[in-house]
């Protein structure tokens, strides 16, 4: 319960970049309209659109990009929504280039029809996606219409995304023979959130139909997230799971996976030797379930990206998981946030990571590490992980005692882009040590979060001076501290030419007392968020590399 409360408090003071407001979406449409109708190196190659055509296409592009980014944020929320914003911009850029390629004014003047998703030859397409737009139920008739391109002979579809649409039994029966016909060519299948709102009996039957239809596919990627599977749901996919021997990515997030369901996952996947990505976020696995997942991890020597966050894992399960991670020496990204590991599991993790030189992102917030666990991990990461870019140890009851070890670790991480030590008790002394560690180099630093750390004027001033000249800095968050009014003025003066980089200070308590008032100036916060989101999108251009 304490961890949950800390998480809530942490989120309440964070800058939220997603979703964008209507004004920001309109701004993006206007910018894309200009890009599509203004001469550029791309228009010289592909031709220009008229302003009317450009505006119509820009609206469609924004709708599609927003849907993709919003779906991503629902499936993998990252707190501030920055990854959704990045996807929003990337998808918009990619789709603009596609529109220029297929819909130039020149080709229309010549009497040539601009290609659409319906008349592009099936053999030239590899990705089939029906996830755009609002979540909706699908009946048999609509399924026949939606899946018609998949039924065309000679198509080259290798990647399917049925996410965000709810299949009933009738729709599943329509999909069944089509999926059987594609078995030999499929490599990626996304069935996340594809039975929403269905009664349990119908949902299990739909999952069984899809499982049998896809049995024998040699998939590299399988996403079954957001389906409230439980043990029954996992076993409904038995035929599909048992037939997989080449999986490289497996996503089982927000699936209600209990101890029994985790055991079923362990039983049904025959081989994970090639597995590189395993995401197991927001389940109710607990210690016993974690022991089962640990067996999967231990047999995955190629694992590069492991996420087991918000899964109710305590000390026993945490120790089992961390010991299993010791065999995954190729690990690059580790996310164990929001569990109840405690000191023992934290120390065990520090030992397990002692040979993981490839680590680039480490998310260890809200694990009850305390000083002993935090120091053990800081000392381990200092010696290894030379290319670390993200270090997140928020909400771990870390005090000034851990500050020297943390500072020594941070000082060696010259590629660091994001440092999050919020929701701890570092105070001025700890903040100053961290600031001194960041002074030299660290030119790729983008975000520093030491909010809610009982920092006062001196610590805030030194920290601000340490990061103000970092060329890529986008956020310094020191909200929720005990900074005096004079201290706030000093910090604002230091950032006088880049106040947009300085996070809000509305939760600061100059008197140094706990503030129980959860109310905040939401309107002001929204304005800050909007300014930041707009700045991220204002330089959007057509990008040929997407």
């Amino acid at each position: 319960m304490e961890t949950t409360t800390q998480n809530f408090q942490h989120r309440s003071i964070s800058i939220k970049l997603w979703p964008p407001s209507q004004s920001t979406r309109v701004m993006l449409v206007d910018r894309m309209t200009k890009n599509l109708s203004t001469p550029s190196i791309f228009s010289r190659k592909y031709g220009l659109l008229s302003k009317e055509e450009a505006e119509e296409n820009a609206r469609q592009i924004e709708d599609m990009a927003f849907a993709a980014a919003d779906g991503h944020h629902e499936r993998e929320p990252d707190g501030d929504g920055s990854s959704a914003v990045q996807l929003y911009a990337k998808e918009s850029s990619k789709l603009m280039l596609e529109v220029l390629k297929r819909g130039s004014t020149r080709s229309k003047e010549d009497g040539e029809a601009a290609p659409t998703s319906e008349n592009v030859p099936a053999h030239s397409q590899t990705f089939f996606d029906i996830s755009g737009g609002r979540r909706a139920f699908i009946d048999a008739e609509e399924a026949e219409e939606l899946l018609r391109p998949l039924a065309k002979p000679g198509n080259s579809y290798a990647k399917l995304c049925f996410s965000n649409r709810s299949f009933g039994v009738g729709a599943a029966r329509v999909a069944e023979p089509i999926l059987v016909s594609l078995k030999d060519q499929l490599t990626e299948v996304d069935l996340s959130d594809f039975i929403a709102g269905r009664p349990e009996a119908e949902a299990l039957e739909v999952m069984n139909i899809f499982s049998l239809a896809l049995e024998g596919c040699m998939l590299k990627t399988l996403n079954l997230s957001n389906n409230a599977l439980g043990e029954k749901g996992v076993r409904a996919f038995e035929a599909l799971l048992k037939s997989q021997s080449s999986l490289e990515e497996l996503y089982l997030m927000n699936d209600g996976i209990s101890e029994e369901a985790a055991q079923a996952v362990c039983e049904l996947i025959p081989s994970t030797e090639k597995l590189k990505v395993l995401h197991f976020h927001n389940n109710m696995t607990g210690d016993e379930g974690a022991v089962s997942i640990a067996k999967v991890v231990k047999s995955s020597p190629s694992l590069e990206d492991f996420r087991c966050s918000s899964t109710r894992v305590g000390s026993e399960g945490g120790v089992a998981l961390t010991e299993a991670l010791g065999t995954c020496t190729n690990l690059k990204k580790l996310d164990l946030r929001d569990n109840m590991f405690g000191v023992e599991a934290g120390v065990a993790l520090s030992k397990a990571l002692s040979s993981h030189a490839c680590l680039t992102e480490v998310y260890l917030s809200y694990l009850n590490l305390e000083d002993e666990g935090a120091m053990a991990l800081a000392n381990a990461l200092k010696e290894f992980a030379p290319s670390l870019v993200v270090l997140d140890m928020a909400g771990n009851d870390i005090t000034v005692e851990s500050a020297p070890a943390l500072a020594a670790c941070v000082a060696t991480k010259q590629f660091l882009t994001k440092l999050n030590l919020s929701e701890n008790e570092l105070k001025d002394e700890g903040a100053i040590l961290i600031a001194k560690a960041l002074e030299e180099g660290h030119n790729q630093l983008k975000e520093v979060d030491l909010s809610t750390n009982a920092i006062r004027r001196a610590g805030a001033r030194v920290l601000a001076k340490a990061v103000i000249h970092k060329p890529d800095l986008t956020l310094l968050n020191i909200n929720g501290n005990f900074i005096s009014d004079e201290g706030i003025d000093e910090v604002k003066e230091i950032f006088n030419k880049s106040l947009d980089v300085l996070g809000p200070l509305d939760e600061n308590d100059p008197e140094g007392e706990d503030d129980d008032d959860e109310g905040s100036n939401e309107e002001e916060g929204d304005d800050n968020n909007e300014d930041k989101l707009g700045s991220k999108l204002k330089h959007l251009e057509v990008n040929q590399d997407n």
Side-chain angles (χ1 to χ4, degrees):
M1 181 64 70
E2 181 180 354
T3 299
T4 303
T5 302
Q6 288 175 328
N7 254 332
F8 175 81
Q9 292 173 341
H10 174 64
R11 286 194 295 268
S12 70
I13 62 173
S14 297
I15 290 178
K16 302 292 185 184
L17 301 179
W18 194 263
S21 71
Q22 188 59 36
S23 62
T24 297
R25 297 182 68 179
V26 170
M27 176 272 291
L28 183 60
V29 170
D30 290 343
R31 191 172 300 280
M32 288 192 292
T33 299
K34 182 177 180 181
N35 283 340
L36 292 169
S37 58
T38 302
S40 66
I41 58 172
F42 297 102
S43 65
R44 287 196 293 272
K45 183 175 181 180
Y46 301 116
L48 273 176
L49 273 67
S50 67
K51 186 173 182 180
E52 293 76 15
E53 290 173 310
E55 184 173 2
E56 180 181 353
N57 278 278
R59 293 184 187 280
Q60 294 175 356
I61 289 170
E62 194 281 330
D63 281 341
M64 294 171 67
F66 177 84
D70 200 45
H72 166 83
H73 188 60
E74 285 187 8
R75 291 189 293 272
E76 297 189 51
D78 61 353
D80 65 354
S82 58
S83 65
V85 172
Q86 291 171 3
L87 181 61
Y88 185 44
K90 184 177 180 180
E91 284 294 302
S92 298
S93 176
K94 179 184 73 174
L95 292 170
M96 278 195 291
L97 182 59
E98 289 179 1
V99 165
L100 284 175
K101 286 181 177 179
R102 74 189 185 201
S104 69
T105 303
R106 181 173 62 247
S107 65
K108 291 186 177 182
E109 288 175 348
D110 292 341
E112 218 177 286
T116 67
S117 58
E118 278 74 29
N119 58 33
V120 172
H123 61 77
S124 69
Q125 301 184 49
T126 61
F127 183 36
F128 182 81
D129 185 1
I130 61 171
S131 66
R134 294 183 177 181
R135 179 189 297 181
F137 284 79
I138 297 178
D139 58 21
E141 184 178 354
E142 186 177 2
E144 288 181 359
E145 180 67 26
L146 280 173
L147 305 183
R148 183 172 290 126
L150 291 177
K152 291 182 179 179
N155 74 71
S156 298
Y157 289 111
K159 306 175 183 180
L160 304 183
C161 181
F162 288 174
S163 179
N164 204 41
R165 300 296 181 95
S166 180
F167 282 75
V169 172
R173 292 297 182 194
V174 171
E176 183 178 16
I178 296 174
L179 294 175
V180 170
S181 71
L182 299 175
K183 276 186 179 182
D184 293 337
Q185 63 194 60
L186 292 179
T187 60
E188 298 184 16
V189 171
D190 185 345
L191 298 179
S192 60
D193 194 22
F194 86 124
I195 52 167
R198 302 290 180 180
E200 181 183 282
E202 183 179 21
L204 291 172
E205 185 174 354
V206 169
M207 289 187 280
N208 188 58
I209 291 170
F210 273 82
S211 175
L212 291 171
L214 293 167
E215 181 181 10
C217 292
M218 298 298 290
L219 298 180
K220 291 184 177 180
T221 301
L222 177 61
N223 190 345
L224 300 177
S225 301
N226 302 306
N227 283 312
L229 296 177
E231 182 186 9
K232 292 179 181 178
V234 172
R235 295 197 181 279
F237 278 109
E238 178 175 354
L240 173 59
L241 292 173
K242 275 191 170 181
S243 66
Q244 300 308 304
S245 59
S246 301
L247 271 182
E248 295 181 5
E249 300 183 18
L250 177 61
Y251 301 89
L252 294 168
M253 298 183 292
N254 194 29
D255 277 331
I257 293 183
S258 60
E259 171 189 334
E260 295 79 12
Q263 177 62 37
V265 171
C266 184
E267 290 176 11
L268 296 179
I269 302 177
S271 173
T272 56
E273 290 184 0
K274 297 181 180 180
L275 199 64
K276 295 181 179 180
V277 179
L278 177 59
H279 281 199
F280 205 73
H281 166 70
N282 197 27
N283 287 296
M284 48 187 184
T285 312
D287 280 344
E288 293 299 321
V291 171
S292 295
I293 298 304
K295 294 177 182 177
V296 177
V297 171
K298 194 170 185 178
S299 62
S300 307
S302 301
L303 200 62
E304 297 178 359
D305 181 350
F306 180 57
R307 184 179 187 186
C308 192
S309 49
S310 302
T311 49
R312 306 184 186 181
V313 177
S315 181
E316 181 183 349
V319 170
L321 279 175
T322 57
E323 289 178 351
L325 286 168
T327 64
C328 304
T329 55
N330 294 309
L331 202 64
K332 296 179 181 178
K333 183 176 179 180
L334 176 63
D335 186 348
L336 299 172
R337 284 175 284 189
D338 192 19
N339 283 298
M340 298 170 284
F341 277 26
V343 173
E344 183 180 358
V347 173
L349 180 60
S350 71
K351 296 175 181 177
L353 299 183
S354 61
S355 58
H356 289 52
C358 299
L359 275 174
T360 58
E361 299 180 42
V362 177
Y363 301 90
L364 304 174
S365 55
Y366 306 105
L367 292 177
N368 298 328
L369 296 175
E370 301 181 14
D371 284 322
E372 185 179 349
M375 287 189 289
L377 283 160
N379 290 331
L381 291 171
K382 176 188 173 184
E383 299 301 324
F384 303 96
S387 301
L388 198 67
V389 296
V390 175
L391 177 58
D392 181 351
M393 295 179 70
N396 275 303
D397 296 322
I398 301 172
T399 73
V400 176
E401 183 180 347
S402 297
L406 286 170
C409 175
V410 168
T412 65
K413 306 308 171 190
Q414 287 296 313
F415 298 105
L416 205 63
T417 63
K418 182 176 180 179
L419 175 64
N420 185 2
L421 297 173
S422 64
E423 301 275 355
N424 286 303
E425 293 288 335
L426 290 172
K427 299 186 177 179
D428 272 0
E429 182 181 344
I432 291 171
L433 285 173
I434 298 297
K436 295 296 183 182
L438 292 171
E439 278 182 341
E440 297 296 326
H442 293 90
N443 291 325
Q444 297 179 31
L445 196 64
K446 295 181 179 180
E447 298 181 22
V448 176
D449 191 342
L450 266 78
S451 58
T452 317
N453 263 285
I455 298 171
R456 296 183 182 273
R457 178 180 180 179
R461 183 174 61 245
V462 174
L463 190 59
K465 289 181 178 179
V467 300
I468 182 60
H469 298 298
K470 306 302 179 186
D472 294 332
L473 191 71
T474 60
L475 175 66
L476 171 64
N477 186 3
I478 51 174
N479 205 3
N481 284 301
F482 301 153
I483 310 169
S484 66
D485 292 337
E486 293 81 3
I488 288 178
D489 289 340
E490 287 178 339
V491 170
K492 287 183 176 180
E493 178 60 29
I494 292 170
F495 280 87
N496 66 339
K497 295 182 180 179
S498 52
L499 281 174
D500 59 322
V501 173
L502 183 62
L505 293 165
D506 55 307
E507 297 285 340
N508 184 65
D509 180 10
E511 303 299 324
E513 296 176 357
D514 292 334
D515 185 2
D516 293 328
D517 183 9
E518 293 181 0
S520 62
N521 189 334
E522 294 183 3
E523 182 177 350
E524 180 181 345
D526 289 343
D527 289 342
N528 287 337
N529 301 349
E530 206 55 52
D531 291 343
K532 193 165 182 62
L533 177 56
S535 70
K536 284 179 174 285
L537 296 173
K538 68 181 180 180
H539 299 301
L540 180 71
E541 303 290 349
V542 179
N543 188 347
Q544 196 167 16
D545 295 330
N546 281 327

